[in-house]
Amino acid sequence: MASSTVQPADQTRQPEREAARRLLESSAKLSYDPATEVDWDTPLDEDFHGMSPEWSTLYGTRYWQELTEAQRKELTRQESACVASTGIWFEMILQQMVLRDMYAKDPTDPRFQWALTEIADECRHSIMFGRGAAKLGAPAYRPGRFVRELGRAFKTLAVGEAAYASILVAEEVLDVMQRDWMRDERVVPFVRTINNIHVVEESRHMKFAREETRARLRGAGRLRRRAQALVVSIASYFIVTSMVSREVYEKAGLDVERALAEAKANEHYKSMMRSSCAGLMEFLASAGLLTRPAVAVYRRAHLI
């Protein structure tokens, strides 16, 4: 009798188990060691950008037109380092949420094994981003204290679809940016390698996050979906608005207040962010996580 009650629940997770098994196979075939794949030894070549210039927060503004080419390159190097540092901050949140979710679960389950594989990937990525930021000559950029404390609460309290959908948001936004940067010959070669590694390995993480988000929402009622949609949108807002800090402009030798004002009004950058999130918003809509209040938050963050 006991086995008959367990079996249906076991069957409902079978598609996620199969997906996790495929991800484990993919990881075994195609993964990288940044310690050996990235050229850490060659000195930084300041003739290169740190990211595709079109992704700079000041690209297309009057201030950008006034900058020398050397200043533009230094700015993009600092912005790239800051994005990497924000990535480290969220990857640490991600690791804790996934580890907490898998605590005391079946270690023979491919989902459990994939979750630990993902955490191992993220540990390597965080070290890689940290070394990359240091090589770009950047200080230790961090989100503001208020956002850091919100992150501390979120990693402790977020569960289920809120955790996995938020993970997906952070990964999707970075993915689109980095696909551009890794192909751009104007970008310093070691950063292109870092971006390529991250894009390849994060594609598996995004698949897992989508599968888990869908699975956690099975049978969820309207009230739960609306509440979780708002939580995800608020988390997304703070992730995206923390990607480039004011210290970037100071480190690049710019007029900080002017740079902040022009970045805030930069329609080109807002358009780039919206286009990068088109696929993400389509997924959130299909999952019932694109409610009217959530859309309002995404609009405020220029993600829709």
Side-chain angles (χ1 to χ4, degrees):
M1 188 71 175
S3 61
S4 65
T5 59
V6 171
Q7 188 64 24
D10 187 65
Q11 289 175 344
T12 64
R13 301 301 303 198
Q14 196 57 34
E16 289 79 55
R17 289 193 180 92
E18 290 301 323
R21 190 173 288 112
R22 290 192 295 272
L23 292 173
L24 285 166
E25 291 171 357
S26 174
S27 180
K29 293 176 183 176
L30 187 60
S31 290
Y32 298 96
D33 180 359
T36 57
E37 295 286 343
V38 180
D39 179 6
W40 300 114
D41 297 327
T42 301
L44 174 65
D45 188 339
E46 295 187 355
D47 285 336
F48 287 92
H49 285 277
M51 61 164 68
S52 297
E54 292 79 7
W55 277 101
S56 172
T57 55
L58 291 181
Y59 184 86
T61 64
R62 185 174 297 178
Y63 202 178
W64 178 268
Q65 298 304 320
E66 295 174 12
L67 298 178
T68 65
E69 192 61 22
Q71 286 177 311
R72 292 173 183 175
K73 289 173 180 175
E74 176 61 17
L75 173 61
T76 62
R77 289 194 294 268
Q78 293 303 318
E79 288 178 307
S80 177
C82 193
V83 169
S85 296
T86 303
I88 294 169
W89 166 68
F90 193 75
E91 283 180 343
M92 294 184 74
I93 293 174
L94 179 161
Q95 291 171 53
Q96 292 177 75
M97 290 194 299
V98 173
L99 194 58
R100 180 162 49 83
D101 186 45
M102 291 297 157
Y103 176 71
K105 291 188 177 176
D106 180 2
T108 68
D109 187 334
R111 292 174 55 252
F112 179 94
Q113 295 166 20
W114 167 254
L116 294 189
T117 301
E118 179 169 341
I119 291 168
D121 286 348
E122 298 296 6
C123 285
R124 292 197 310 276
H125 294 169
S126 293
I127 296 169
M128 175 177 72
F129 283 156
R131 292 184 70 179
K135 187 165 180 175
L136 286 168
Y141 293 120
R142 298 183 184 92
R145 181 167 182 177
F146 175 70
V147 176
R148 294 201 306 271
E149 293 308 315
L150 281 179
R152 193 186 303 279
F154 185 72
K155 71 180 176 59
T156 304
L157 300 174
V159 295
E161 61 273 13
Y164 284 101
S166 299
I167 289 169
L168 183 61
V169 169
E171 291 174 340
E172 287 266 9
V173 172
L174 273 178
D175 181 72
V176 175
M177 287 183 177
Q178 292 179 328
R179 284 179 187 275
D180 284 350
W181 304 354
M182 74 183 195
R183 301 186 186 104
D184 193 336
E185 294 185 357
R186 297 170 295 176
V187 175
V188 66
F190 84 90
V191 170
R192 294 177 63 193
T193 304
I194 287 172
N195 292 329
N196 182 67
I197 291 171
H198 198 247
V199 163
V200 169
E201 297 186 347
E202 287 295 325
S203 66
R204 295 189 286 261
H205 301 182
M206 290 188 290
K207 288 177 185 177
F208 184 66
R210 289 190 196 99
E211 291 292 335
E212 288 299 311
T213 299
R214 291 190 189 101
R216 304 308 173 94
L217 283 168
R218 282 194 198 118
R222 183 169 175 269
L223 182 60
R224 174 175 158 187
R225 285 179 188 269
R226 290 178 68 83
Q228 296 291 62
L230 186 58
V231 169
V232 173
S233 67
I234 292 170
S236 305
Y237 174 86
F238 285 110
I239 293 166
V240 170
T241 56
S242 298
M243 290 179 70
V244 178
S245 72
R246 63 180 292 133
E247 287 79 11
V248 161
Y249 307 119
E250 182 179 355
K251 178 65 177 176
L254 306 186
D255 179 331
V256 175
E257 297 307 320
R258 183 183 175 190
L260 285 170
E262 296 212 22
K264 185 176 181 180
N266 189 353
E267 292 302 325
H268 169 81
Y269 184 75
K270 295 174 187 177
S271 174
M272 294 286 281
M273 292 300 294
R274 285 193 294 269
S275 64
S276 75
C277 292
L280 170 65
M281 293 303 153
E282 185 177 332
F283 171 79
L284 293 176
S286 71
L289 294 176
L290 206 56
T291 60
R292 186 176 296 179
V295 167
V297 177
Y298 289 125
R299 284 209 173 104
R300 186 174 177 82
H302 310 296
L303 299 183
I304 194 171

